């Protein structure tokens, strides 16, 4: 307890606590601005870029606020009671001796303590998830048939993926996924390559290759880091959902623009979702997405094509597992 008491009395704890409070209204402003921008944009790439920029702006605002609230680099006592805050951190018209202000000043350092504990929990959680994903590279995997490995190389060259990509079949993967940034590999559930028509498998592989070309695995790691730091903020989680949805839409557009057959692609998505929901077989499972009924194919027929325009289904083939 002595360490905790000493931490609560430091200027850093007070500055961090006030920063957390200020970040609530800062995040609300950023989220409102992003919502307005999304109403005006239709291109998935533009919407994705706007969402990523909003997340960076929110993080930058929090860092800037913390710097502003930190005390000057002059010698200070190790314990400060009460903490010295900038004038703009205390509501106007109220003296520092007001009862509610004093109570808030007492609680603010505790906010920083709870924040540190929350960050540690999320960090450990994602480390465990990343370790589990690393195991998928080596456990229960086998090389894909050579014709499909050759076809993957052809598809990679077609959409300008220059890094070598390994194709493996996994007994534990419940959906197609990409693992790794510097040495990327695509894991396909066992039986998927043989269970779907070749055209549909090619569409799925193109989707995963699009993630590799766009560096989505690396971007997702950075995104998860921001989520860990700002886990308490609803705006962060909403912006992250927008990023993930538009990321999938961008990859869908790559598939449709490359193959020019949206119906076949939608059929592949519908087949994956149907098998996941009915048979619960890992070889054909897919997580997320909006393909939950037979109207998917009809929706994509009525929807808009690629090249910057959105169409109906928003599948989720890949969320890189960290």
């Amino acid at each position: 307890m002595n360490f905790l008491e000493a931490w609560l009395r430091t200027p850093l704890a007070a500055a961090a606590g006030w920063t957390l409070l200020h970040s609530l209204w800062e995040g609300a402003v950023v989220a409102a601005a992003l919502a307005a921008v999304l109403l005006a944009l239709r291109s998935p790439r533009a919407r994705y870029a706007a969402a990523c920029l909003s997340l960076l702006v929110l993080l930058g605002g929090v860092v800037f606020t913390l710097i502003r609230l930190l005390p000057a680099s002059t010698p200070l006592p190790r314990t400060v009671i009460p903490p010295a805050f900038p004038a703009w951190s205390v509501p106007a018209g109220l003296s520092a001796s007001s009862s509610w202000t004093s109570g808030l000043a007492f609680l603010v350092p505790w906010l920083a303590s709870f924040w540190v504990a929350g960050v540690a929990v999320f960090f450990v959680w994602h480390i465990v998830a990343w370790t589990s994903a690393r195991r998928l590279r080596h456990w229960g995997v086998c090389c894909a048939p050579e014709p499909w490995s050759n076809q993957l190389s052809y598809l990679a060259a077609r959409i300008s993926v220059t890094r070598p990509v390994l194709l493996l079949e996994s007994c534990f993967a419940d959906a197609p996924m990409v693992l790794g940034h510097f040495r990327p590999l695509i894991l396909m559930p066992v039986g998927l390559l043989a269970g779907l028509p070749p055209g549909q498998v090619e569409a799925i592989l193109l989707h995963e290759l699009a993630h590799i070309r766009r560096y989505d695995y690396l971007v997702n790691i950075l995104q998860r880091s921001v989520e860990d730091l700002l886990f308490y903020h609803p705006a962060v989680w909403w912006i992250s959902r927008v990023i993930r949805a538009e990321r999938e839409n961008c990859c869908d557009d790559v598939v449709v623009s490359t193959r020019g057959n949206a119906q076949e692609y939608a059929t592949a998505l519908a087949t994956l979702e149907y098998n996941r929901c009915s048979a619960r077989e890992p070889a054909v499972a897919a997580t997320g997405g909006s393909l939950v009924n037979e109207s998917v194919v009809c929706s994509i027929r009525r929807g808009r094509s690629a090249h910057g325009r959105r169409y109906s289904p928003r599948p989720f083939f890949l969320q890189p597992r960290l």
Side-chain angles (χ1 to χ4, degrees):
M1 284 299 293
N2 292 334
F3 174 78
L4 179 59
E5 292 176 357
W7 156 254
L8 293 175
R9 295 170 183 271
T10 60
L12 178 59
W18 283 111
T19 299
L20 296 176
L21 290 179
H22 282 292
S23 68
L24 296 178
W25 68 264
E26 292 172 350
V29 171
V30 173
L34 175 60
V37 170
L38 293 179
L39 291 176
L41 296 177
R42 290 296 178 264
S43 169
R45 294 181 62 182
R47 294 166 65 90
Y48 176 77
C52 291
L53 180 60
S54 298
L55 197 61
L56 289 176
V57 170
L58 179 53
L59 178 62
V62 172
V63 173
F64 176 77
T65 302
L66 178 61
I67 294 175
R68 283 288 305 272
L69 292 177
L70 284 175
S73 57
T74 55
L76 291 175
R78 292 189 177 183
T79 60
V80 179
I81 306 176
F85 305 119
W88 63 281
S89 294
V90 179
L94 294 177
S95 64
S97 60
S98 300
S99 58
W100 76 272
T101 305
S102 301
L104 184 60
F106 172 78
L107 292 176
V108 161
W110 283 97
L111 295 179
S113 300
F114 289 125
W115 173 76
V116 171
V119 170
V121 170
F122 275 85
F123 178 77
V124 171
W125 177 26
H126 285 149
I127 287 295
V128 172
W130 180 82
T131 304
S132 300
R134 290 281 298 178
R135 293 177 179 175
L136 290 177
R137 300 179 67 105
H138 309 288
W139 289 9
V141 296
C142 61
C143 294
E146 185 176 356
W148 278 118
S149 297
N150 296 335
Q151 184 66 16
L152 179 68
S153 300
Y154 167 76
L155 295 174
R158 189 173 179 183
I159 64 172
S160 302
V161 175
T162 57
R163 286 173 291 171
V165 182
L166 183 63
L167 179 63
L168 299 177
E169 291 186 283
S170 172
C171 298
F172 300 108
D174 58 357
M177 66 181 67
V178 169
L179 293 177
H181 172 69
F182 298 103
R183 295 184 301 167
L185 66 86
I186 297 177
L187 284 182
M188 302 289 283
V190 169
L192 183 63
L193 296 177
L196 292 180
Q200 296 181 16
V201 175
E202 290 180 7
I204 295 174
L205 291 177
L206 277 172
H207 184 101
E208 307 306 323
L209 287 171
H211 281 297
I212 296 174
R213 189 184 72 174
R214 290 165 37 83
Y215 305 104
D216 284 340
Y217 189 87
L218 179 60
V219 173
N220 186 71
I221 292 178
L222 300 177
Q223 180 182 346
R224 288 291 182 89
S225 300
V226 177
E227 291 175 355
D228 290 347
L229 293 174
L230 305 178
F231 67 91
Y232 61 91
H233 209 308
V236 172
W237 295 103
W238 177 72
I239 294 174
S240 289
R241 286 197 297 270
V242 173
I243 291 175
R244 292 190 174 97
E246 298 305 331
R247 176 186 297 154
E248 298 304 316
N249 289 337
C250 290
C251 294
D252 293 339
D253 279 355
V254 172
V255 176
V256 176
S257 62
T258 302
R259 294 185 56 81
N261 191 341
Q263 179 178 349
E264 183 179 45
Y265 182 44
T267 303
L269 302 184
T271 302
L272 289 173
E273 182 67 17
Y274 174 79
N275 288 328
R276 182 183 71 89
C277 295
S278 60
R280 299 291 182 179
E281 296 177 359
V284 289
T287 57
S290 59
L291 302 173
V292 293
N293 53 54
E294 296 179 3
S295 64
V296 175
V297 176
C298 296
S299 297
I300 200 169
R301 290 175 181 172
R302 294 193 301 267
R304 298 177 180 179
S305 62
H307 307 294
R309 305 181 68 188
R310 303 177 67 196
Y311 64 98
S312 296
R314 298 179 183 178
F316 182 84
F317 279 126
L318 163 72
Q319 179 56 51
R321 301 184 177 184
L322 309 182

